[in-house]
Amino acid sequence: MDCYILSIKNIIYNIRHSVLVCAIIHAKEKLLERFAEMDIDKAVRQATDTRLCVIGRGAVSSVPEVFGEQFPGARRAVVVADPRTWNAAGGTVEALLRGTGIPVDRHIIEPGGAQFHSEYRYVEEIKAAIGKGAVPVAVGSGTVNDLVKCAAGELGIPYMVVCTAASVDGYSSYGAAIVSPNGVKETYNCPAPRAIVADVDVLLTAPREMAAFGYADLMAKSPAGAEWILASEIGAEKWDDTAWHMVQDSLPDALGDAEGVARHDSVAIEKLAKGLMMGGFAMQRMSSSRPASGAEHRFSHILDMTHHTFNGRSCSHGEQVGVFTLYTTRFIEALLDFDMAALDVDRCVADWPEWDAGGRALAVRTFAGTEFPDLGVKEAVGKWQTKDGLRAMLSLAKEHWPDIATRIRAQLIPSVEVERRLKAAGAPSRPAEIGVADDFAVRHARYAMLMRFRFNVLDFAFRIGRLDDFAAQAAFGRGL
C-alpha cells in the first residue's frame, strides 16, 4: 500500500511539474513575441523626457541634425567630456556642431588621476562651465552623462548625450547616481537627456571590458524583474505593465550573445546598447529605477560608499553589479526552494518589531559606526509595517505562492546560466574578482535591506525570518 501511495504521489508531482514547465515555456514565448512589438521609437514615445534616440553605425554624423531639431533657437553649445571620451568622440562632436555655425565651447573634466567618479563637486564645475543660454552636450559614458544630467537638471535646461561605450543603462534613465557632498551615493532627481546619439562604431572603440560591464548591468534586469514581481504580488510596490515590457521584452535578445559582446561584435554591441536604453526609458516612465534594479545595486552602492578599491582602483558599476547579480539570483533561488506552505505567519508577526518598538533600533544598530549613521532610519521607515500590515502581506504571499513562484521562475535566468554568461562576456561573477570577501553580502545583508526605501527580496526574507539563512545559501550554497 505504501508503494502504491508513493507511486500516486510521484504521478501527481510529475503532472504538477509538467504543468509548471509548460507555464514557464509559454511565458517565455510570450515574452519573445512582445519583444517584436517594442522597439526604440515606441519606447521613446513612452518616455517622459527623451524625444529622440539614434542608435547605429555612423550615427554620430546625425549630431548636427539632431541638435538643430531638438534645440531650435539654441545660441550656444557646450561639449562636456573627460580626456578619454574627448579623444573618442568629443572632438568630432565639436567639429560637427561648429559646422552648423553655432558657437561651441568645450569643457574637459580633469579628474587629476586614474580614478574618476560621479562626485557632486564635478556637477558644480560643469554648471559654471555651461553658464546661461547654452545647451550642454555630454560626450562620454556613465560618469560624464550622470554629471551633465545632474548639472542640467539643477539649471533647469535640457541636454543631449553622445554615448561612447555600451556600459550602463543610465544614458536614458531618469535621475543621476551621484556621490553627494556628505559621501552618500544618492539618486538625484533630474530629467533624462532630450536627445541621445549612440554610434556603434564609437562604442566599438571603447575598451572591451566596458561592454562586459554593460552586459553585467543588463543581466541585473533578470533578478530585478523577479523582485518586482514579488513586491507587486504581495502589495508592496505598484506595477506598470508598459515599463515592465520596455525592459523585459528586449532582454532575451540583448543578452543572447555574451560571446559576441566579448568579441566586440558590432551586432552584439548594438543589441546590448538598445537593451540598456530600454531600461532607462522604463525608468523615465516611472521616475524610478524600480523596473531596472534591485538588491544587487544596493550591494554595489555599499562598495561605492565605503570607497572600496581593488588593485589600486575603484571597480566600475557594472563589475560590482554583475557579481551581486549572481548573488541575488542565488538568493532568490533559495527563496524559491523554501516551503512557503509551512510558513508560520503567526510566529512571524509575533517576532516582528514595529518601528518604534524595535525597527528604529535595528536601523540604528545596523548603521552604527558607518559614515552614514542616520541613513537606515531615514530610508527604512517608509517601508516598515505594522503587525497587522505584515500579517496581511504574509497571508497573501502564502496563499498565492504557487502562482507567484511560477511567475518568478519564468522571469529568472538560472544562476548557473548567469555565471556562464557573465564569464563568457568577460565580466566578473565572483566576489574575489573585485577584491571582496565571499561573506561580504552575508555581513551586509541588513545594511543593503535598510539603505533604500524600496521593498526588495531582502525585506521579504527578513519578514519571514530567513534573511540570514538565504544570505548564507546564496554565498556558500548552504544555510546557517
Side-chain angles (χ1 to χ4, degrees):
M1 178 63 72
D2 288 342
C3 290
Y4 175 77
I5 293 173
L6 182 59
S7 296
I8 293 296
K9 287 183 176 179
N10 285 337
I11 291 171
I12 293 171
Y13 172 80
N14 288 332
I15 291 172
R16 287 177 175 173
H17 180 71
S18 297
V19 170
L20 176 60
V21 169
C22 288
I24 291 173
I25 292 173
H26 177 70
K28 289 185 175 180
E29 287 175 347
K30 296 300 289 182
L31 196 68
L32 290 172
E33 288 176 10
R34 287 296 299 266
F35 168 65
E37 300 173 7
M38 181 65 75
D39 59 17
I40 289 290
D41 291 339
K42 290 179 181 178
V44 168
R45 289 196 291 272
Q46 296 293 334
T48 55
D49 304 318
T50 302
R51 298 179 183 175
L52 183 63
C53 178
V54 181
I55 303 177
R57 306 201 73 162
V60 72
S61 64
S62 69
V63 164
E65 180 183 355
V66 170
F67 187 91
E69 175 186 319
Q70 296 301 319
F71 305 98
R75 292 176 293 174
R76 185 168 63 93
V78 179
V79 177
V80 182
D82 65 28
R84 290 183 179 180
T85 63
W86 176 262
N87 291 332
T92 300
V93 170
E94 182 186 63
L96 288 167
L97 289 173
R98 285 191 187 282
T100 67
I102 186 173
V104 182
D105 294 328
R106 73 177 70 159
H107 180 73
I108 311 299
I109 305 167
E110 298 287 353
Q115 303 297 318
F116 181 32
H117 306 292
S118 300
E119 298 177 22
Y120 189 80
R121 61 192 177 98
Y122 295 119
V123 174
E124 295 286 8
E125 175 186 318
I126 293 167
K127 285 164 62 177
I130 295 170
K132 295 183 178 180
V135 174
V137 180
V139 179
S141 56
T143 301
V144 171
N145 181 59
D146 271 357
L147 293 171
V148 177
K149 184 190 301 184
C150 188
E154 293 192 356
L155 290 172
I157 58 176
Y159 83 103
M160 173 178 172
V161 62
V162 178
C163 314
T164 58
S167 55
V168 292
D169 60 10
Y171 287 123
S172 53
S173 71
Y174 172 90
I178 305 286
V179 178
S180 67
N182 63 5
V184 178
K185 187 74 173 284
E186 297 182 11
T187 299
Y188 282 70
N189 293 327
C190 43
R194 177 172 291 180
I196 302 170
V197 173
D199 188 326
V200 175
D201 293 319
V202 173
L203 304 183
L204 291 172
T205 67
R208 293 195 177 195
E209 62 266 22
M210 295 191 76
F213 303 155
Y215 186 91
D217 196 21
L218 191 62
M219 182 64 77
K221 281 46 174 174
S222 167
E227 287 192 81
W228 193 11
I229 289 170
L230 172 64
S232 172
E233 290 279 7
I234 62 177
E237 294 276 355
K238 68 177 182 179
W239 183 263
D240 186 305
D241 203 54
T242 298
W244 167 267
H245 286 292
M246 289 169 73
V247 176
Q248 298 297 333
D249 291 3
S250 63
L251 206 57
D253 201 45
L255 292 174
D257 190 3
E259 293 80 6
V261 170
R263 292 194 311 270
H264 247 40
D265 174 79
S266 62
V267 174
I269 295 299
E270 183 168 350
K271 288 181 177 181
L272 172 62
K274 288 180 177 179
L276 290 166
M277 293 296 177
M278 288 295 203
F281 293 138
M283 288 187 270
Q284 279 190 51
R285 177 179 168 82
M286 294 192 70
S287 296
S288 166
S289 59
R290 172 81 268 181
S293 72
E296 74 292 324
H297 276 67
R298 306 290 84 79
F299 291 111
S300 173
H301 291 338
I302 293 171
L303 292 180
D304 291 339
M305 291 162 57
T306 54
H307 317 291
H308 172 73
T309 60
F310 180 52
N311 291 336
R313 68 175 183 87
S314 296
C315 296
S316 76
H317 175 76
E319 284 181 280
Q320 297 172 171
V321 167
V323 168
F324 295 113
T325 289
L326 178 58
Y327 177 83
T328 304
T329 299
R330 289 177 170 165
F331 191 104
I332 296 170
E333 288 174 340
L335 170 62
L336 292 172
D337 288 340
F338 178 69
D339 182 8
M340 198 65 68
L343 179 67
D344 187 340
V345 174
D346 290 334
R347 176 64 182 272
C348 293
V349 172
D351 291 344
W352 179 248
E354 294 200 67
W355 183 249
D356 289 330
R360 180 188 296 274
L362 172 66
V364 170
R365 288 197 307 273
T366 300
F367 287 83
T370 72
E371 295 181 47
F372 322 104
D374 300 324
L375 182 60
V377 172
K378 173 186 172 184
E379 294 290 329
V381 64
K383 62 181 176 181
W384 212 262
Q385 293 163 295
T386 64
K387 287 181 179 289
D388 287 343
L390 180 66
R391 181 182 297 280
M393 172 183 284
L394 297 188
S395 297
L396 183 65
K398 183 175 180 178
E399 179 182 357
H400 296 286
W401 189 250
D403 292 334
I404 296 172
T406 296
R407 284 193 68 195
I408 292 174
R409 285 192 176 94
Q411 162 63 21
L412 196 67
I413 298 174
S415 60
V416 172
E417 181 64 7
V418 169
E419 184 170 19
R420 185 197 72 77
R421 293 194 195 187
L422 288 174
K423 289 180 177 178
S429 61
R430 299 286 182 153
E433 295 178 80
I434 58 171
V436 172
D438 287 343
D439 68 345
F440 174 86
V442 181
R443 290 184 288 108
H444 290 86
R446 279 175 172 74
Y447 196 130
M449 175 183 73
L450 296 171
M451 71 182 294
R452 288 290 183 268
F453 64 87
R454 182 186 304 144
F455 192 94
N456 59 50
V457 70
L458 306 174
D459 289 299
F460 185 74
F462 183 68
R463 282 155 173 74
I464 64 174
R466 305 290 293 191
L467 177 62
D468 295 334
D469 192 38
F470 292 166
Q473 286 185 54
F476 306 115
R478 56 177 170 77
L480 295 176

